[in-house]
Amino acid sequence: MDTLSYKTVSANKNTVNKEWVVLDAEGQSLGRLSSIAAKFIRGKYKTDYTPHVDCGDNVIIINAEKINLTGKKWDAKEYIRHTGYPGGQRSLTASELFGKDPVRLIEKSVKGMLPKNKLGSVLFKNLKVNVGSEHNHEAQKPKTINLNELV
């Protein structure tokens, strides 16, 4: 029989080609930057995307200290954690967290957009966030992505 038939190609960790990508956070909104970074880490823009495989790219975010939050989110947005002891609920506003470490603000945002399972833990290791415009991954020859052209 002479019919066209296509096989569904499912990627695995041996057939995936991972690249390195640089995103500049300067002047970008936190949520928009994080969602784009999560898509790159997950690999959703690739044609051989497979939901249960780490087929995304390694993402480097530079200029973490120049991220923007819109409205009154610097004071109104709270990050809540619990120590595990009775009455141990602790909270930080976005400005307090940013003051301690701007990297953690972006990391928490991107981590919340990744799957909440073992794959999500593996994918999160593909994110590198840096304060300043320098990073120590030049040996990987990362591509710079202009976020203003993507959106």
XYZ file of all heavy atoms in Angstrom, residues 2 21 24 32 36 48 53 68 74 79 87 91-92 97 104 110 118 122 136-137 143-144:
185
model
N 0.545 2.218 -0.808
C 1.367 3.416 -0.966
C 0.737 4.610 -0.249
O 0.192 5.503 -0.879
C 1.515 3.711 -2.460
C 2.945 3.975 -2.819
O 3.807 3.741 -1.972
O 3.184 4.431 -3.943
N 21.405 29.995 26.262
C 20.726 31.224 25.867
C 20.946 32.269 26.945
O 20.879 31.962 28.138
C 19.211 30.952 25.686
C 18.457 32.218 25.416
C 18.971 29.953 24.584
N 18.576 39.209 28.886
C 18.923 40.412 29.638
C 17.685 40.916 30.361
O 16.669 41.224 29.731
C 19.470 41.485 28.687
C 20.091 42.648 29.433
O 20.058 42.653 30.677
O 20.611 43.551 28.755
N 6.881 38.616 32.865
C 7.066 38.373 31.436
C 8.426 37.727 31.166
O 8.533 36.801 30.369
C 6.926 39.668 30.652
C 5.507 40.185 30.672
C 5.362 41.462 29.885
N 4.052 42.035 30.081
C 2.989 41.741 29.339
N 3.089 40.867 28.361
N 1.832 42.313 29.568
N 8.996 33.704 29.744
C 9.827 33.424 28.567
C 10.973 32.491 28.955
O 11.280 31.529 28.241
C 10.348 34.734 27.956
C 9.190 35.511 27.338
C 11.418 34.466 26.913
C 9.526 36.923 26.921
N 10.693 19.171 18.562
C 10.734 17.840 19.169
C 10.468 17.884 20.676
O 10.976 17.060 21.428
C 12.061 17.151 18.876
C 13.252 17.900 19.461
O 13.061 19.067 19.864
O 14.355 17.342 19.505
N 10.529 14.907 29.224
C 11.981 14.887 29.027
C 12.521 16.303 29.172
O 11.881 17.271 28.770
C 12.335 14.327 27.631
C 13.823 14.386 27.376
C 11.829 12.924 27.481
N 12.022 44.934 36.758
C 10.926 45.831 37.146
C 9.748 45.030 37.675
O 9.497 43.920 37.236
C 10.441 46.642 35.944
C 11.402 47.721 35.545
O 12.195 48.183 36.356
N 11.338 48.132 34.295
N 6.116 46.081 44.613
C 7.327 46.081 45.434
C 6.979 46.007 46.919
O 7.693 45.396 47.709
C 8.177 47.326 45.184
C 8.944 47.289 43.909
C 8.766 48.087 42.823
C 10.027 46.413 43.570
N 9.659 47.756 41.830
C 10.452 46.736 42.264
C 10.678 45.381 44.237
C 11.489 46.073 41.617
C 11.710 44.725 43.597
C 12.102 45.076 42.303
N 6.228 37.132 49.873
C 6.746 35.776 49.723
C 6.683 35.121 51.098
O 7.371 35.552 52.021
C 8.173 35.802 49.182
C 8.224 36.313 47.761
C 8.414 37.657 47.478
C 8.043 35.440 46.699
C 8.441 38.117 46.172
C 8.072 35.881 45.390
C 8.262 37.216 45.136
O 8.283 37.667 43.842
N 3.493 28.531 64.731
C 3.620 29.990 64.660
C 4.830 30.434 63.876
O 5.278 31.571 64.021
N 7.268 36.052 56.394
C 6.993 36.630 55.080
C 7.960 37.777 54.801
O 8.441 38.442 55.724
C 5.552 37.131 55.005
O 5.357 38.209 55.896
N 8.239 37.955 53.540
C 9.076 39.050 53.053
C 8.338 39.736 51.916
O 7.688 39.068 51.111
C 10.401 38.526 52.500
C 11.432 37.951 53.454
C 12.544 37.282 52.668
C 12.007 39.052 54.316
N 13.036 41.063 49.766
C 13.712 39.943 49.123
C 14.718 40.438 48.094
O 15.828 39.938 47.994
C 12.689 39.015 48.465
C 13.230 37.734 47.841
C 13.836 36.837 48.911
C 12.140 37.002 47.102
N 17.322 35.749 43.918
C 16.260 34.906 44.474
C 14.885 35.309 43.982
O 13.997 34.460 43.828
C 16.306 34.943 46.005
C 17.422 34.087 46.534
C 17.581 34.084 48.032
N 16.376 34.112 48.812
C 16.335 34.520 50.086
N 17.440 34.933 50.667
N 15.208 34.514 50.748
N 10.623 32.053 38.306
C 10.764 31.038 37.251
C 10.416 29.661 37.790
O 9.732 28.870 37.126
C 12.190 31.054 36.654
C 12.377 29.907 35.682
C 12.455 32.373 35.954
N 9.684 15.825 39.942
C 11.119 15.578 39.822
C 11.697 16.243 38.577
O 12.825 16.736 38.595
C 11.396 14.075 39.776
C 11.088 13.360 41.067
C 11.286 11.863 40.905
C 10.758 11.123 42.110
N 10.773 9.677 41.901
N 14.915 19.032 38.094
C 16.008 18.885 37.134
C 16.063 20.093 36.211
O 17.144 20.630 35.920
C 15.843 17.578 36.317
C 16.841 17.507 35.188
C 15.979 16.376 37.230
N 29.846 33.679 33.890
C 31.024 32.826 33.733
C 30.738 31.600 32.866
O 31.272 30.538 33.095
C 31.568 32.399 35.103
C 30.521 31.709 35.937
O 29.376 31.603 35.534
N 30.907 31.242 37.109
N 29.895 31.767 31.828
C 29.558 30.659 30.939
C 29.918 30.975 29.493
O 29.246 30.530 28.574
C 28.068 30.333 31.046
C 27.641 29.922 32.411
N 27.926 28.683 32.943
C 26.980 30.590 33.380
C 27.443 28.602 34.164
N 26.865 29.752 34.457
N 23.825 32.025 22.986
C 23.175 32.958 22.068
C 22.459 34.017 22.894
O 21.808 33.700 23.878
C 22.112 32.254 21.219
C 22.641 31.306 20.189
C 21.539 30.836 19.248
C 20.241 30.505 19.964
N 19.228 29.871 19.121
N 22.543 35.276 22.479
C 21.815 36.342 23.155
C 20.462 36.512 22.475
O 20.374 36.649 21.258
C 22.607 37.661 23.087
O 23.887 37.449 23.681
C 21.886 38.762 23.838
